[in-house]
């Protein structure tokens, strides 16, 4: 995805392709008003990795955020970003990032909040260090997803879980810092599609098999939806209590997680009712105002051979889940096929959307830097 395509300006290479039926069904949320006169400054931890690169690309031209810091391992520290990164995306390195000097993981970055795309081997303590130092941490890493005081967030599914942030800050002794995570790439699309079914009919059992571009862990896919579809009761997260079995498989696909799902519903529903519940899933006005949000984040296709990774993975700039082949299941109630972009909806785009919701709700604020603090000091008489 290019740095401009999502927020206006030139379209990226992918959107120049002939529009598929999945794209035709995607409606972008209404153009957001300007959140504030001064953009919030974002840092990216793990900026040289593949998810970090996606975040760097998505932040270029963002209406609310500006990229001011990139951080990575010690071997990259001191180099410019263009020198340090082995760039994998089709679009070039954004100009705003090219000459930024890569810094280490010391929590003294000149930014208001950080995205974490770190390797799990270092993410856990590093994210805690930044939160302890007062930085909100919007994490794509697995380390803190299942912590009992950390929101595991998909804004269209469980925005209310942000109510846990004050509890986390009190529990951990954080001041302005905190940690919010997004789920793993295979869970992200699954739960986005399960949400309208849970609301309309209730869920009893789920069986899912993935054919995914990047390997995932089955235990995460079985555990994370319980937290996402559960509730925050004021002091803890209460699991949804759904029976869920997952098989995760890696296949030779560049981008896109295809998932075959069978669902047992609590209420009897026809296929048409199921189809309409998914098709009509729409975000509220608050979410519709976010720059990365889609008004209808799930696209339903009627063709028998869709979705397909090569044709449908970029629906909604990679933020839509695409559903097809909705039919009766002889073991449970309904089965369907879904597709989502593992690096956008399942990683960088998910973290960006989480940050936008945090900003809209006032959880992200301008930090006073040391230079600004010095300028603000009264002049001695």
């Amino acid at each position: 995805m290019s740095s401009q395509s999502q927020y206006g300006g030139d379209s990226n290479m992918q959107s120049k392709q002939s529009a598929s039926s999945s794209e035709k069904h995607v409606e972008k949320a209404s153009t957001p008003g300007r959140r504030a006169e001064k953009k919030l400054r974002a840092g990216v931890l793990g900026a040289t990795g593949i998810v970090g690169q996606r975040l760097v690309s998505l932040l270029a031209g963002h209406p609310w955020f500006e990229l001011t810091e990139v951080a990575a391992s010690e071997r990259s520290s001191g180099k410019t970003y263009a020198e340090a990164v082995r760039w994998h995306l089709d679009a070039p390195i954004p100009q705003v990032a090219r000459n930024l000097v890569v810094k280490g993981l010391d929590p003294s970055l000149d930014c208001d909040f950080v995205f974490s795309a770190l390797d799990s081997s270092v993410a856990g303590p590093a994210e805690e260090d930044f939160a302890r130092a007062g930085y909100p941490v919007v994490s794509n890493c697995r380390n803190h997803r299942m912590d009992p005081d950390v929101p595991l967030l998909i804004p269209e599914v469980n925005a209310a879980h942000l109510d846990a942030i004050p509890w986390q800050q009190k529990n951990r002794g954080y001041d302005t810092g905190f940690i919010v995570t997004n789920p793993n790439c295979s869970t992200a699309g699954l739960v986005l599609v399960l949400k309208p079914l849970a609301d309309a009919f209730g869920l009893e059992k789920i069986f899912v098999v993935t054919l995914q571009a990047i390997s995932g862990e089955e235990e995460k896919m079985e555990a994370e939806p319980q937290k996402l579809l559960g509730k925050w009761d004021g002091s803890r997260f209460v699991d949804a209590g759904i029976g869920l079995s997952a098989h995760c498989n890696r296949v030779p696909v560049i981008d896109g997680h295809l998932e075959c799902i069978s669902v047992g519903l609590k209420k009897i529903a026809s296929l048409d009712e199921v189809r309409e519940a998914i098709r009509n899933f729409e975000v509220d006005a608050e979410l519709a105002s976010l720059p990365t949000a889609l008004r209808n984040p799930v696209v339903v296709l009627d063709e028998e051979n869709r979705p397909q990774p090569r044709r449908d993975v970029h629906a909604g700039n990679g933020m839509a889940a695409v559903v097809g082949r909705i039919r009766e299941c002889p073991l449970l109630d309904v089965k369907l096929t879904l597709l989502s972009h593992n690096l956008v909806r399942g990683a960088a785009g998910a973290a960006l959307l989480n940050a936008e919701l945090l900003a809209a709700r006032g959880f992200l604020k301008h930090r006073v830097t040391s230079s600004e603090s010095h300028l603000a000091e009264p002049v001695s008489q």
Side-chain angles (χ1 to χ4, degrees), residues 235-264:
S235 62
R236 67 188 183 98
F237 292 105
V238 180
D239 282 355
I242 302 167
L244 199 161
S245 178
H247 293 268
C248 296
N249 306 279
R250 186 173 182 172
V251 296
V253 172
I254 296 174
D255 291 316
H257 284 357
L258 201 63
E259 304 182 16
C260 304
I261 306 166
S262 289
V263 182

Side-chain angles (χ1 to χ4, degrees), residues 3-81:
S3 59
Q4 298 180 357
S5 62
Q6 194 158 0
Y7 315 112
D10 293 337
S11 297
N12 62 15
M13 291 175 63
Q14 294 146 359
S15 63
K16 287 179 181 176
Q17 299 169 352
S18 58
S20 67
S21 55
S22 60
E23 289 290 353
K24 293 175 184 176
H25 286 79
V26 172
E27 181 182 353
K28 180 68 182 74
S30 56
T31 303
R34 193 173 181 184
R35 196 199 66 85
E37 289 188 5
K38 186 178 180 182
K39 289 185 179 182
L40 289 162
R41 300 164 300 169
V44 177
L45 311 181
T48 56
I50 187 63
V51 175
Q53 292 177 33
R54 288 272 177 178
L55 281 164
V56 166
S57 181
L58 288 170
L59 284 167
H62 194 280
W64 294 4
F65 307 142
E66 63 175 331
L67 178 67
T68 58
E69 295 276 25
V70 287
S73 63
E74 290 184 4
R75 66 178 178 271
S76 300
S77 184
K79 300 177 182 177
T80 66
Y81 186 69

Side-chain angles (χ1 to χ4, degrees), residues 91-167:
I93 302 173
Q95 193 61 40
V96 68
R98 294 189 63 86
N99 295 321
L100 289 177
V101 176
V102 179
K103 299 186 180 172
L105 300 180
D106 182 77
S108 58
L109 301 182
D110 186 13
C111 57
D112 301 311
F113 71 101
V114 295
F115 291 101
S116 176
L118 293 166
D119 186 89
S120 60
S121 62
V122 298
E127 291 175 356
E128 291 174 11
D129 288 345
F130 273 87
R132 194 176 297 112
Y135 294 86
V137 178
V138 184
S139 175
N140 179 68
C141 308
R142 70 186 186 191
N143 301 66
H144 294 293
R145 284 175 183 158
M146 300 306 292
D147 287 6
D149 58 354
V150 172
L152 178 62
L153 183 66
I154 299 176
E156 301 96 332
V157 173
N158 62 334
H161 285 198
L162 292 183
D163 291 345
I165 289 176
W167 178 271

